[in-house]
Amino acid sequence: MGEIIRKRSTITTALLVVLMLLFVFCTIYLIAISKYAIYGFATEENAQKFFYFQHDMVDLFINGVLAMGILYVINAIGTFLVLKWKKLGYWMVLGSSVIAFVIDVILLYNGGKTSDGLVFCIASILSPILLWAVLQFKSESQTCWNLLK
């Protein structure tokens, strides 16, 4: 009876779709890196040459990158839920981004001196912030955040 009409601006919808696609591309990239790492780090020389890891750290690296890929899938699903007006989606992105940040820091601390690790650390911090900022755009005097259920 008192149904709220939910309407978001076109720019908000477009930005949410772009964020979701970025999460999907990050997932594909991370899974590709982990598959390369499984086959390419068979020797200690290759492990040190490409990612500066000690050979005994390769398993940590592969598992960490696979976990990151799974977390970015969760981010994409969370963004999709936000498109479907569910506030749970934002909290999924926030939670998985915090976990991803912790994994990034562990990988960087344990010898991963790559620029990818630093970029994903920054992306983990910015993901929920960007999503929240997009949800602050107003549509008919209300922010999208206030219209989520």
Side-chain angles (χ1 to χ4, degrees):
M1 207 165 134
E3 182 68 26
I4 298 173
I5 298 173
R6 290 180 171 82
K7 188 174 181 182
R8 76 178 133 244
S9 67
T10 307
I11 188 84
T12 303
T13 304
L15 288 173
L16 287 171
V17 170
V18 167
L19 272 174
M20 189 169 53
L21 290 174
L22 282 173
F23 291 140
V24 169
F25 289 133
C26 285
T27 300
I28 292 168
Y29 177 72
L30 287 166
I31 290 174
I33 283 180
S34 66
K35 286 183 81 174
Y36 173 76
I38 289 169
Y39 298 116
F41 288 168
T43 66
E44 184 172 347
E45 180 183 324
N46 286 343
Q48 291 177 355
K49 179 179 172 185
F50 291 107
F51 288 101
Y52 306 104
F53 276 98
Q54 299 299 323
H55 192 264
D56 58 344
M57 300 301 293
V58 172
D59 288 336
L60 174 69
F61 174 75
I62 293 171
N63 293 333
V65 171
L66 281 174
M68 293 286 297
I70 292 167
L71 290 169
Y72 276 98
V73 168
I74 293 171
N75 280 353
I77 293 169
T79 307
F80 178 76
L81 287 175
V82 169
L83 277 169
K84 296 291 184 181
W85 298 105
K86 307 287 184 201
K87 201 175 270 194
L88 172 66
Y90 175 77
W91 297 114
M92 286 174 64
V93 171
L94 180 65
S96 65
S97 294
V98 167
I99 294 169
F101 179 74
V102 169
I103 291 172
D104 283 333
V105 169
I106 289 170
L107 289 176
L108 284 174
Y109 180 74
N110 286 312
K113 298 175 182 139
T114 64
S115 60
D116 288 350
L118 205 52
V119 167
F120 280 107
C121 269
I122 294 168
S124 297
I125 294 169
L126 289 180
S127 296
I129 295 170
L130 286 174
L131 183 57
W132 182 81
V134 167
L135 293 174
Q136 295 308 307
F137 291 157
K138 289 191 176 185
S139 177
E140 297 180 12
S141 76
Q142 281 196 330
T143 63
C144 290
W145 177 261
N146 292 335
L147 294 174
L148 294 176
K149 32 177 175 160

